[in-house]
Amino acid sequence: MKCKVIVVSLVSSSINASFDFANEGQANSTSFFRFEKRMESLSETIWDVLISGTGLQQSLLALALSRSGKKILHVDRNDYYGGPDAAFGLQEAESAAPFFSNASITQETAADAADSHASPSPTLSFSRAYSLSLSNQLIYARSRLLPLLVSSKLYHQLEFQAVGSWWIYDAVLDKDKVISSGNDESSSSLQLGTLRRVPTGREDLFADRSIDLRATRALGRFLKFVGDYENHQDVWEPYGSSSVSNFLFERFAIPSALQIPILAISGSVHTPGKTPTASALPRIARHLRSIGVFGPGFGAVVPKWGGSAEIAQVACRASAVGGGVYVLNSGIEAIHNQTSPVTSGNVQHLIRVRLGNGEEVSTRWVVGSEIEDPGNNNEHASGTSLDDQVACLRSIYIVSSPLASLFPALGDGSTLPAGAVVYFPSSTMSSLTQHHDLEGCPPVYINVHSSDTGECPVGQCVLYGSIQDEVGVDHSLLDLAVRRLLVCANGENTPEILFTMRYTQHSVGSRQLSDQSEPTDIQDKRRIIMLPPPSSDLVFDDGVLDRVRGAWESIMGDIGNGSPVGDFMEFEDRERFPDDGD
């Protein structure tokens, strides 16, 4: 059975391109496929590469290696694909706990609904109607990931939806402007804030009558500058290590209140005073340069059916077709070096690995991720010790409304976007919390996904909240922001929160990752590569591709005895996967 869908085309610049996809199994990406090709005994084969974990980085590497004619064994200690990038139905959501600390799940039961409402209350649908993503990063149109998905032919099995409007939440500090909210456990009323859209370019900026002419001109000068900032190093380099807030005020006379839209699109998880100019400018430029590439009014997309989990699974699927062998529910227990003779009479150094299922295998290379630490006794090769890692508080909410007001049409004849971003500035969060120790509260980002993403049933939507973990910050701040967003978006008809999953993600911040363009071996002779944990950023980090390519080049150069390794992820079309009924 096939369904016709409207998706963002990665080959053309039109959002109206159509592709046919089989719809079976896509309601829940965690069960979309299972490749567990088992041989009589894994130990009878000398593997070229053993990859541990099926996160996005490992899955892309497995695909890159699968077309080389080498023997690839890909294992995962979990019984599902994706690792920290996985997506889950409701019943499987607890499987995320091994990857995150402080994980908890709450949902409204039928009894709760009956007790709290006289009329029938909205309820959750069946488990597989949901695909809750642990990695819901935006992918900008200018990201290097999208051309790679085209050159590797993965785009045939992927769908993308547009992320449309970016919104800023402004708190109303007038205590008389409150409405009742049964969802707020700490108060019987909520201040009614407002949402305003972030301008997508100079035309939107000059059409905004709420900004006076002098400020509009200052913002216009900055937008012109940032579009070509690389060629104006004399302007920004003296401010490179200082805050972007200071740079915007001193160089462009933009007051702090008007800096908020700029800070929002920078994607910075830090307060304005802790966001360096050198890191903010490329992020702002990336956002602005991506707008209009695939269609009017938007510059980012999200993969349908579960974010990065879908890309990881499709990569594993293609790797298996290319000859990769997959074993789930059996990770690496221990790693040992040994020297073994081969039939040619030469001597090669092989790595002996014991898997979780008790089997021992021999391989020339081992690749893993620090988050799984495969048999490495907590020795972190990429230079990111646990002390270097950062923590991000995350919450996933299912709400009983489509929140249609957050997804306005982007232009005449364009389709409705399926994603939106709501930004709660540091200043707003500090005023809402009314805690003196949180005057420097980090901002909150909420990614809102409609049912068009395939992550929830029609009539509901999924909210992904995140905030940097700092002193005095906890998940209650995300709950606070979500409640205010729901009140603001729907007014008196405040939607119900049907499901909440809270957890803490330990990862590497963008500033640490920027110094790690390539993976580092634990010991060159051991040929063990450790990849850093996933980034906690709002946006996909293109540095992932550099690290995957670095691992690929190291392995291919060694296995090929220094022979040319060819083009990275440049594949010819193979026969398409058959649809049911073909």
Side-chain angles (χ1 to χ4, degrees):
M1 181 177 180
K2 297 180 179 179
C3 59
K4 181 74 75 174
V5 294
I6 304 298
V7 299
V8 175
S9 170
L10 302 184
V11 182
S12 69
S13 60
S14 171
I15 192 175
N16 296 317
S18 300
F19 297 102
D20 285 325
F21 291 88
N23 65 356
E24 181 177 351
Q26 290 183 338
N28 180 4
S29 62
T30 62
S31 60
F32 185 50
F33 68 93
R34 285 290 187 270
F35 280 107
E36 293 191 45
K37 179 182 177 182
R38 296 301 303 274
M39 307 178 74
E40 290 184 2
S41 175
L42 298 174
S43 62
E44 295 178 0
T45 300
I46 295 179
W47 302 95
D48 291 307
V49 186
L50 169 60
I51 301 177
S52 175
T54 54
L56 182 60
Q57 296 180 96
Q58 299 100 308
S59 300
L60 291 176
L61 177 60
L63 173 60
L65 293 168
S66 68
R67 303 295 181 92
S68 64
K70 308 303 179 184
K71 296 182 178 66
I72 311 299
L73 176 60
H74 200 169
V75 303
D76 197 308
R77 61 186 171 93
N78 301 293
D79 61 357
Y80 54 85
Y81 289 88
D85 299 306
F88 299 94
L90 297 183
Q91 292 181 356
E92 297 87 8
E94 293 182 0
S95 299
F99 290 104
F100 306 103
S101 60
N102 305 320
S104 66
I105 294 176
T106 59
Q107 58 181 297
E108 184 176 357
T109 65
D112 295 333
D115 291 341
S116 58
H117 298 278
S119 59
S121 178
T123 59
L124 291 167
S125 185
F126 59 95
S127 174
R128 293 187 62 189
Y130 300 89
S131 184
L132 307 179
S133 173
L134 298 180
S135 180
N136 53 85
Q137 292 177 317
L138 313 181
I139 303 174
Y140 274 115
R142 296 296 187 185
S143 170
R144 289 185 282 123
L145 175 63
L146 299 183
L148 181 142
L149 297 178
V150 173
S151 66
S152 64
K153 314 307 177 187
L154 288 186
Y155 75 96
H156 288 307
Q157 283 77 47
L158 293 168
E159 304 174 33
F160 291 85
Q161 299 288 337
V163 177
S165 300
W166 288 57
W167 303 90
I168 297 170
Y169 180 90
D170 290 326
V172 175
L173 300 181
D174 186 348
K175 295 182 178 180
D176 293 331
K177 297 182 178 180
V178 297
I179 66 172
S180 61
S181 173
N183 288 327
D184 190 343
E185 298 176 358
S186 61
S187 173
S188 60
S189 62
L190 289 176
Q191 296 172 349
L192 180 59
T194 59
L195 291 175
R196 55 187 171 101
R197 291 180 65 180
V198 175
T200 59
R202 294 173 64 88
E203 292 184 1
D204 287 349
L205 177 62
F206 283 96
D208 191 340
R209 301 303 180 187
S210 65
I211 306 176
D212 64 55
L213 183 59
R214 182 176 179 181
T216 298
R217 289 174 175 172
L219 289 168
R221 287 195 301 271
F222 173 74
L223 293 180
K224 182 178 180 180
F225 155 79
V226 79
D228 191 35
Y229 80 96
E230 295 94 337
N231 294 322
H232 298 282
Q233 294 183 354
D234 58 313
V235 175
W236 65 267
E237 277 195 340
Y239 298 87
S241 59
S242 63
S243 72
V244 66
S245 181
N246 183 54
F247 170 70
L248 291 172
F249 181 74
E250 291 195 5
R251 291 294 307 191
F252 295 93
I254 301 175
S256 57
L258 294 181
Q259 293 177 12
I260 291 177
I262 298 173
L263 294 168
I265 64 176
S266 76
S268 175
V269 298
H270 304 286
T271 61
K274 294 181 180 179
T275 302
T277 301
S279 66
L281 289 180
R283 291 162 170 263
I284 298 167
R286 173 185 60 187
H287 177 95
L288 297 173
R289 292 169 181 171
S290 294
I291 293 175
V293 172
F294 290 139
F298 75 98
V301 295
V302 290
K304 194 172 182 179
W305 311 114
S308 297
E310 190 68 5
I311 300 177
Q313 291 193 54
V314 168
C316 289
R317 184 182 188 184
S319 173
V321 171
V325 175
Y326 280 77
V327 180
L328 296 184
N329 206 25
S330 183
I332 293 178
E333 291 294 323
I335 297 176
H336 308 285
N337 269 358
Q338 72 172 27
T339 301
S340 300
V342 295
T343 55
S344 64
N346 297 324
V347 175
Q348 282 191 329
H349 291 280
L350 298 178
I351 304 169
R352 195 71 177 167
V353 179
R354 186 175 73 248
L355 301 179
N357 61 6
E359 291 188 84
E360 291 200 358
V361 299
S362 295
T363 180
R364 294 181 175 89
W365 283 86
V366 173
V367 180
S369 169
E370 288 180 2
I371 198 168
E372 291 190 301
D373 197 25
N376 187 36
N377 298 322
N378 296 318
E379 184 178 8
H380 296 275
S382 67
T384 57
S385 67
L386 293 176
D387 292 336
D388 295 328
Q389 296 183 21
V390 297
C392 180
L393 305 183
R394 296 189 180 277
S395 294
I396 303 174
Y397 307 85
I398 300 173
V399 301
S400 63
S401 168
L403 298 181
S405 63
L406 299 180
F407 305 101
L410 301 174
D412 294 338
S414 64
T415 58
L416 293 178
V421 179
V422 183
Y423 175 71
F424 284 70
S426 297
S427 56
T428 296
M429 292 305 301
S430 299
S431 65
L432 289 177
T433 57
Q434 299 180 350
H435 292 312
H436 297 295
D437 57 341
L438 284 181
E439 292 183 359
C441 182
V444 166
Y445 285 93
I446 300 176
N447 289 352
V448 186
H449 289 189
S450 75
S451 60
D452 288 339
T453 61
E455 297 175 11
C456 65
V458 174
Q460 300 178 5
C461 64
V462 181
L463 279 58
Y464 299 95
S466 63
I467 186 173
Q468 197 77 357
D469 187 10
E470 297 184 4
V471 176
V473 172
D474 56 39
H475 284 91
S476 66
L477 297 183
L478 295 177
D479 297 342
L480 179 71
V482 165
R483 289 196 299 268
R484 276 153 176 74
L485 170 60
L486 297 181
V487 168
C488 189
N490 272 47
E492 294 287 348
N493 299 316
T494 305
E496 298 285 342
I497 298 176
L498 305 177
F499 173 97
T500 304
M501 176 179 175
R502 303 176 182 88
Y503 58 96
T504 302
Q505 177 189 8
H506 294 278
S507 61
V508 178
S510 58
R511 278 177 274 183
Q512 290 96 329
L513 281 175
S514 63
D515 298 328
Q516 299 174 17
S517 60
E518 296 183 359
T520 304
D521 294 352
I522 297 174
Q523 296 177 11
D524 290 342
K525 292 183 178 179
R526 292 188 67 189
R527 299 184 305 282
I528 301 176
I529 293 177
M530 296 285 281
L531 299 169
S535 167
S536 59
D537 276 7
L538 179 74
V539 177
F540 175 79
D541 170 32
D542 279 354
V544 166
L545 306 181
D546 297 324
R547 291 183 286 280
V548 171
R549 178 165 188 150
W552 175 78
E553 290 178 344
S554 297
I555 294 168
M556 291 296 295
D558 177 79
I559 292 176
N561 297 318
S563 60
V565 295
D567 294 324
F568 176 63
M569 299 287 272
E570 295 278 349
F571 303 147
E572 296 295 329
D573 265 318
R574 289 188 171 184
E575 184 178 352
R576 295 285 298 275
F577 297 110
D579 294 322
D580 289 343
D582 288 355

